[in-house]
Amino acid sequence: MAEHTIVAAGQFTVTLTHPLWNDGTPTTIDGFRLEGQMVQAQQAMDSSKIIALANGNTLTITNNNGAGTLTFNVVKTGNKGDLVKIANSLKKAGDSVGGTIRITQEINGATEGNTFTACTVKSCPPLNIQGNDAADYQVVFNYGEENPDAEDDE
């Protein structure tokens, strides 16, 4: 029998905990459009590299570097969880601490999550203006490490 996966659109949360924002109290991020890509995590460095040798052999080098970037596609909301406002504030603060971003999603009735640590703002446009629509902002954070929730053995 076929296996089916059920995901309710928009049923995910992004929570930022940062000592330089909201006195370190966790803040739920808002402003995600229901349609389109909301979040993308991308590792900063390939996990392995192949070096071709002159004799036809290869040398493969691997690493366990866990750093990368998180890209959030959001609109400004003016609410407490406005990521554009948060990111621009953290840029101005001269962050030397970093924060934690936790992302959870409901899949098949279970919550799956990933925690990103040592998060700092890489980039955030100070202003985007669009006509008869809300302007999209790409807010990018660097992270030092990503840890998925422990998976149950099947």
Side-chain angles (χ1 to χ4, degrees):
M1 176 167 262
E3 291 187 29
H4 304 280
T5 300
I6 300 173
V7 178
Q11 296 299 310
F12 79 106
T13 58
V14 176
T15 306
L16 170 71
T17 305
H18 197 295
L20 300 178
W21 180 258
N22 200 21
D23 294 323
T25 303
T27 302
T28 301
I29 303 304
D30 59 20
F32 296 100
R33 290 183 185 262
L34 187 58
E35 296 285 333
Q37 185 169 354
M38 300 174 191
V39 180
Q40 179 183 3
Q42 180 65 47
Q43 64 191 54
M45 173 182 245
D46 290 343
S47 298
S48 70
K49 177 179 181 177
I50 298 174
I51 300 168
L53 303 176
N55 63 0
N57 294 336
T58 61
L59 170 64
T60 301
I61 300 172
T62 64
N63 68 72
N64 62 355
N65 187 312
T69 59
L70 276 170
T71 302
F72 299 96
N73 298 305
V74 295
V75 298
K76 287 177 87 166
T77 63
N79 297 332
K80 184 172 68 172
D82 183 338
L83 189 58
V84 176
K85 181 166 77 173
I86 293 168
N88 282 316
S89 175
L90 290 173
K91 282 191 324 186
K92 290 179 184 176
D95 185 5
S96 64
V97 182
T100 300
I101 296 175
R102 173 129 174 91
I103 302 173
T104 59
Q105 183 177 17
E106 299 287 326
I107 300 176
N108 288 334
T111 301
E112 296 182 6
N114 297 68
T115 302
F116 300 85
T117 56
C119 296
T120 57
V121 177
K122 177 179 180 180
S123 64
C124 177
L127 180 66
N128 285 348
I129 297 175
Q130 187 165 330
N132 193 27
D133 199 355
D136 292 316
Y137 285 78
Q138 274 200 340
V139 180
V140 182
F141 278 77
N142 285 325
Y143 63 86
E145 186 174 25
E146 178 267 338
N147 292 298
D149 290 347
E151 295 184 16
D152 296 332
D153 292 332
E154 295 184 13

